[in-house]
Amino acid sequence: VPDAGAAQRIAGRIHRDITRPMKATGDGSIEVGASLGVAFKTSARTAPGNGASPAGPLLGRATVALRRAQRSGGGIYVDDEES
């Protein structure tokens, strides 16, 4: 993903597809709500010097982003800040 804007657009398409009402048997339909948290890493830095995986902090930020999306009533939250 080239930038945070592209990440937001992709997350928007995923959210739209997940939350689209679905036909159920008969005249019924099923509606699903969803929250998406996205953490975007802008630098090309690799693993820290201690050999730890750079995925740990990124996953932590994604978890925080998910919680923010949930607290706002669902939808998408993208964290594009470098940390």
Side-chain angles (χ1 to χ4, degrees):
V1 178
D3 56 43
Q8 176 76 38
R9 288 187 297 278
I10 291 167
R13 287 193 302 260
I14 292 168
H15 186 267
R16 183 188 64 236
D17 289 345
I18 290 172
T19 59
R20 183 175 291 146
M22 297 173 272
K23 285 285 234 178
T25 56
D27 292 331
S29 67
I30 299 170
E31 293 187 31
V32 176
S35 299
L36 299 174
V38 178
F40 185 79
K41 184 167 179 58
T42 56
S43 77
R45 260 187 354 200
T46 56
N50 63 7
S53 169
L58 192 60
L59 289 173
R61 288 177 37 221
T63 299
V64 171
L66 174 59
R67 289 184 185 137
R68 287 181 177 174
Q70 290 169 330
R71 279 197 299 264
S72 70
I76 303 164
Y77 185 89
V78 176
D79 173 355
D80 64 349
E81 295 180 15
E82 191 63 30
S83 60

